[in-house]
Amino acid sequence: MAAPKVAVVGAGVIGLSTALCITETCPSCSVTVLSDQFSPNTTSDIAAGMLIPHTYPGTPIHMQKQWFKETFTYLFAISNSAEASEAGIHLVSGWQVFKNAPKEELPFWSDVVLGFRPMSEAELQKFPQYRFGQAFTTLKCDCPPYLLWLEKRLKATGVQMYTRKVADLWELHSEYNVIVNCAGIGAHQLVGDKKLFPIRGQVLKVHAPWVKNFIRDGDGLTYIYPGIHRVTLGGTREKESWSLSPDPGTTKDIFDRCCSLEPSLRGARDIKVKVGLRPSRQSVRLQREVLSQGGVKLPVVHNYGHGAGGFSVHRGTAKEAAHLVGECIAALQGSSSRAKL
Ligand code: FAD
């Protein structure tokens, strides 16, 4: 069989990192990324990019931990290299605070982030409305620079990238041997996945360079995440809302909630409002499927549905998807050598 041709549909953090992992695990493959939007116009560009996992109720915890650990280790190495500033990856320390002690005092990811510990009474004095808190250091991706860095690495390894909306995966079958579906919320239409739904998120990106620590309310709704140039203030979680229009009332509400956690934000300038749709499911869809039409077979690997935690687990799920692509290619090579006998 000639060099297997792989098409990755989608150019958010999942599509780009999956394409990169495929080039690493299958150097003989010819990889192409097809997407109707690239950075800065993807959901991944809107995200805060904090490595604090979201929990997927339908995925075993040991698997989620493995994905998070692989992602953390990968980004930690970048943060410790000369590439860190170009890739937009940096360490950030801060606090997750709770009005009441959480059910689980030790989240499953507590031994992956750095220096996880309960907050001291003295630290809690900064947050008079909160009774309990956790202090730790984690990583943050500044999303548009990280996506551009991934694109640059892909181009350097010879990956082609084309702007193209794919209406049906079958339209790719004559050009490619394996299709990888990383369409995010677009998979709702592309493969008709009714288990996939949007959770709308509105955030503010502000100039407040004096804010150096992250602060997150344990309810996950209100957060302050400092990046290299801008601080992300959030947020909202609106299930099944497809609206991409910012809501001015929500902007004021987010700003007020964040100022009550960090009063110095009243001096924030240059407030930009962004909205994104988290591609949500009970579990990430990470699986092989062989589509069949009139006796013709089309191997597909799905990797979508990362909801509120795509950045936190992207490298782990990309590695697993690349492994599944390897299995598809081995199956194709097996059947082509059997056909020659
Ligand atoms: P996307 O970025 O949406 O990429 C999908 C790609 O597929 C796009 O390029 C799109 O153009 C393309 N596409 C879709 N359909 C088609 C088609 N038919 N044909 C061709 N191309 C197609 N996660 C974290 O881990 N940490 C955070 O701090 C964090 N903060 C967030 C804050 C907000 C406000 C939001 C909205 C999300 C946040 N997330 C966070 C979640 C994270 O953004 C997502 O999990 C992640 O971006 C999903 O990536 P993706 O590549 O699957 O989707």
Side-chain angles (χ1 to χ4, degrees):
M1 187 182 169
K5 290 183 159 185
V6 181
V8 176
V9 179
V13 69
I14 302 303
L16 298 178
S17 58
T18 301
L20 192 59
C21 283
I22 297 168
T23 64
E24 289 163 9
T25 54
C26 180
S28 64
C29 287
S30 152
V31 181
T32 303
V33 175
L34 304 170
S35 191
D36 62 345
Q37 299 291 344
F38 284 82
S39 182
N41 300 318
T42 70
T43 304
S44 300
D45 288 279
I46 310 294
M50 280 292 281
L51 265 74
I52 299 179
H54 153 82
T55 305
Y56 304 99
T59 304
I61 288 293
H62 73 268
M63 209 180 265
Q64 300 187 44
K65 184 166 180 176
Q66 172 78 10
W67 294 341
F68 180 56
K69 204 171 172 173
E70 280 171 353
T71 307
F72 196 93
T73 304
Y74 178 72
L75 293 180
F76 186 61
I78 298 175
S79 78
N80 230 358
S81 76
E83 305 264 309
S85 108
E86 190 192 340
I89 309 297
H90 60 103
L91 286 165
V92 56
S93 300
W95 307 282
Q96 171 158 251
V97 289
F98 298 82
K99 294 206 164 107
N100 298 301
K103 268 186 268 159
E104 258 186 330
E105 281 205 14
L106 276 185
F108 72 84
W109 42 266
S110 60
D111 59 348
V112 179
V113 298
L114 309 177
F116 186 97
R117 59 175 175 79
M119 281 168 72
S120 67
E121 285 302 320
E123 283 172 305
L124 275 168
Q125 281 175 20
K126 177 166 169 57
F127 305 102
Q129 299 155 25
Y130 294 83
R131 302 217 332 248
F132 180 84
Q134 300 157 338
F136 55 94
T137 298
T138 188
L139 286 152
K140 181 178 177 316
C141 305
D142 273 19
C143 302
Y146 183 55
L147 296 174
L148 291 181
W149 182 83
L150 287 170
E151 282 186 20
K152 194 170 151 189
R153 297 203 57 170
L154 288 171
K155 284 179 190 151
T157 56
V159 171
Q160 305 285 320
M161 287 189 235
Y162 299 110
T163 302
R164 171 168 169 182
K165 184 170 174 81
V166 179
D168 185 328
L169 296 180
W170 276 101
E171 73 188 53
L172 306 175
H173 99 272
S174 57
E175 291 169 81
Y176 301 97
N177 303 108
V178 182
I179 314 300
V180 188
N181 170 15
C182 302
I185 195 66
H188 190 265
Q189 200 178 7
L190 182 59
V191 294
D193 185 344
K194 300 283 179 288
K195 293 183 187 158
L196 181 69
F197 58 92
I199 298 189
R200 181 182 180 279
Q202 182 166 324
V203 286
L204 319 182
K205 308 263 176 176
V206 307
H207 183 71
W210 59 89
V211 176
K212 304 288 185 203
N213 293 96
F214 77 80
I215 305 170
R216 180 180 202 268
D217 187 314
D219 70 7
L221 256 196
T222 305
Y223 49 83
I224 299 163
Y225 292 149
I228 297 172
H229 302 294
R230 316 275 296 173
V231 183
T232 303
L233 310 184
T236 65
R237 285 175 196 269
E238 297 151 76
K239 211 172 161 182
E240 300 283 2
S241 168
W242 289 88
S243 168
L244 284 169
S245 307
D247 175 70
T250 305
T251 300
K252 183 178 177 323
D253 177 52
I254 293 171
F255 192 67
D256 288 345
R257 278 189 274 131
C258 289
C259 288
S260 84
L261 273 174
E262 177 53 65
S264 73
L265 281 169
R266 289 274 167 215
R269 295 281 169 266
D270 190 19
I271 298 171
K272 295 201 163 56
V273 187
K274 305 273 179 185
V275 177
L277 305 180
R278 301 177 180 93
S280 303
R281 267 178 126 253
Q282 287 289 98
S283 54
V284 176
R285 185 168 184 205
L286 188 44
Q287 65 179 181
R288 261 175 84 185
E289 183 182 26
V290 180
L291 302 179
S292 179
Q293 216 174 59
V296 182
K297 294 202 184 313
L298 179 64
V300 174
V301 172
H302 299 284
N303 186 13
Y304 67 84
H306 295 69
F311 277 85
S312 306
V313 295
H314 71 277
R315 178 74 188 183
T317 58
K319 273 178 79 173
E320 199 168 318
H323 176 76
L324 296 176
V325 169
E327 286 183 5
C328 293
I329 291 167
L332 287 171
Q333 283 166 340
S335 57
S336 84
S337 54
R338 274 195 302 279
K340 282 188 200 132
L341 292 176

